[in-house]
Amino acid sequence: MNHMWEKVSRGEVYTIAEMSGNHAGSLDNALAIVRAAKEAGVDCLKTQAYTADTITLDSDHPCFFIHGGTWDGYRLYDLYLDAGTPPEWNKIIKEECERLGIDFLCTPFDKTAVDLLEDIGTEIYKIASPELVDIPLIEYVASKGKPMLISCGMGTEEEIREALDACHRMGNDRVILLKCCSDYPAQYDEMNLNAIADMREKFGVKVGLSDHSMGSLASVVAVSLGACVIEKHMCLSREIENPDSSFSMEPEEFAALVRDVHNAQQTLGFANYTLSPGEQRSKLFRKSIFVAEDMAAGTVLNETNLRVVRPSNGLHPRYYKELLGKKITKDVTKGTPFDWSMVNREE
């Protein structure tokens, strides 16, 4: 049973380790990534369900070749041959997730993948950014009634709304949008994380981040802006080369990410002005009004014999000017916290 909707409904951050092609064609690697994800403290392990034949065409037409970026020179069909997860692995990976007590999530890229995932009891679906415009696929996934994540990389406001409307038409309102910059790796100055709050207000749904940048910084910032889900690519080692390794996090880095985003959420707290126990203790270091010299009764208070200093045992500093020029009514010694019994307030 997945805990994503329950967790985000409580206002907690839900973390997802995206395996993608980081298994490098090895089921042993795939299962090792699941175990590493568990050790890193993530909530969920995500895979992708497609084959080269279901996601693209085996064509040498020039438009099927990638120019620039991480996958420069790749033919699409060959990229997906190298990066794909064999469909039959998803059941095995899901069982390993269940054994370890973390959730399993998968991104289907066509209806046959959805049917396969339904057969193994998948309980969360994600729509990848490029599929944001595949309305028939979104409708089919939404019809299954499971919680959905929709990644919005490259999406216009109109396209995002159209995808949401497709879910609503199918009676599925359990949708979380993911802000995403579809570049690999994403550059900080192109991520526009301020859109998280705008998306939440504009579309009326919870919003998370699918983070393709390096390190934890963007994810921490996203949480501070209200992101409820953080998804990052995870690998065993960037030295295990595959199409996704160069922008993926290694296990130790991912563990640090999980700590960072949860600590970031804790720092947000609540909008109130109640002092914490630590702040109550620290009030000692506030200033107050003290007797700064030994004085006999009748001495006129001035800026030399009466001072505002630490600690906080004396009168509040707001009364300092009111006290100057008054006569002290009894003998006092240096270091005594000042109080109203030492003067005639009515004078």
Side-chain angles (χ1 to χ4, degrees):
M1 171 138 185
N2 84 77
H3 304 96
M4 181 185 73
W5 202 258
E6 176 186 346
K7 190 164 188 177
V8 299
S9 295
R10 292 197 304 265
E12 299 176 29
V13 177
Y14 188 83
T15 52
I16 301 170
E18 160 69 277
M19 180 185 300
S20 60
N22 281 307
H23 49 66
S26 164
L27 179 57
D28 287 341
N29 282 348
L31 296 177
I33 291 173
V34 177
R35 293 189 289 272
K38 170 65 176 179
E39 291 176 6
V42 303
D43 295 299
C44 181
L45 186 285
K46 190 179 92 67
T47 63
Q48 299 177 356
Y50 66 82
T51 66
D53 289 306
T54 60
I55 200 170
T56 191
L57 300 177
D58 186 359
S59 172
D60 291 331
H61 188 282
C63 67
F64 285 83
F65 286 81
I66 301 171
H67 302 286
T70 300
W71 303 302
D72 183 46
Y74 251 116
R75 189 174 69 124
L76 283 179
Y77 191 86
D78 297 325
L79 172 64
Y80 300 129
L81 280 177
D82 289 348
T85 300
E88 64 274 13
W89 285 12
N90 280 301
K91 183 175 186 295
I92 300 169
I93 292 169
K94 181 175 181 289
E95 289 172 348
E96 184 70 355
C97 289
E98 291 169 348
R99 185 183 73 81
L100 294 171
I102 61 175
D103 292 341
F104 171 81
L105 162 65
C106 189
T107 301
F109 291 81
D110 72 299
K111 289 184 177 181
T112 64
V114 177
D115 293 340
L116 179 151
L117 294 170
E118 282 293 293
D119 286 344
I120 66 172
T122 300
E123 295 184 350
I124 319 173
Y125 286 104
K126 182 194 169 188
I127 301 298
S129 288
E131 277 61 46
L132 178 68
V133 296
D134 189 345
I135 300 303
L137 174 63
I138 293 173
E139 288 182 336
Y140 193 64
V141 173
S143 72
K144 304 306 176 183
K146 310 290 177 61
M148 295 174 62
L149 299 165
I150 299 180
S151 199
C152 299
M154 303 171 287
T156 65
E157 180 180 339
E158 180 182 4
E159 289 167 343
I160 296 169
R161 194 172 298 283
E162 190 176 6
L164 271 176
D165 288 345
C167 297
H168 297 157
R169 279 197 302 275
M170 306 310 293
N172 194 333
D173 296 326
R174 292 193 294 171
V175 181
I176 296 172
L177 298 177
L178 299 182
K179 176 69 180 78
C180 180
C181 177
S182 293
D183 197 6
Y184 305 87
Q187 304 304 307
Y188 291 147
D189 62 352
E190 297 177 352
M191 296 188 72
N192 297 318
L193 295 184
N194 275 327
I196 290 172
D198 187 69
M199 289 168 67
R200 190 168 55 246
E201 180 179 353
K202 190 165 286 178
F203 301 112
V205 298
K206 296 181 182 298
V207 180
L209 175 68
S210 180
D211 184 5
H212 298 146
S213 67
M214 302 303 290
S216 300
L217 178 61
S219 292
V220 169
V221 172
V223 168
S224 73
L225 293 169
C228 62
V229 172
I230 297 294
E231 177 198 37
K232 291 275 285 188
H233 284 68
M234 184 179 191
C235 63
L236 294 176
S237 168
R238 282 187 288 275
E239 294 183 3
I240 302 175
E241 293 188 6
N242 66 81
D244 296 328
S245 57
S246 65
F247 57 88
S248 297
M249 282 189 135
E250 295 181 348
E252 297 80 8
E253 295 168 328
F254 217 104
L257 167 78
V258 172
R259 290 193 300 271
D260 287 346
V261 298
H262 287 305
N263 287 339
Q265 186 179 43
Q266 284 189 319
T267 66
L268 296 176
F270 302 95
N272 66 49
Y273 300 92
T274 303
L275 301 189
S276 69
E279 284 188 311
Q280 290 285 2
R281 293 189 296 271
S282 292
K283 286 181 71 175
L284 167 70
F285 301 107
R286 276 185 161 179
K287 288 182 175 179
S288 64
I289 302 172
F290 272 80
V291 175
E293 293 179 352
D294 293 343
M295 289 183 279
T299 302
V300 176
L301 296 174
N302 59 44
E303 293 184 356
T304 301
N305 57 30
L306 192 69
R307 292 182 55 196
V308 175
V309 296
R310 296 183 182 187
S312 59
N313 304 68
L315 279 180
H316 194 287
R318 69 169 65 96
Y319 301 112
Y320 184 72
K321 286 187 177 180
E322 179 182 342
L323 292 171
L324 295 178
K326 292 185 181 295
K327 293 180 180 180
I328 198 153
T329 58
K330 57 185 176 181
D331 295 347
V332 291
T333 58
K334 179 180 178 180
T336 302
F338 204 91
D339 64 57
W340 287 115
S341 70
M342 299 176 183
V343 292
N344 183 348
R345 196 173 185 183
E346 302 304 320
E347 286 184 353

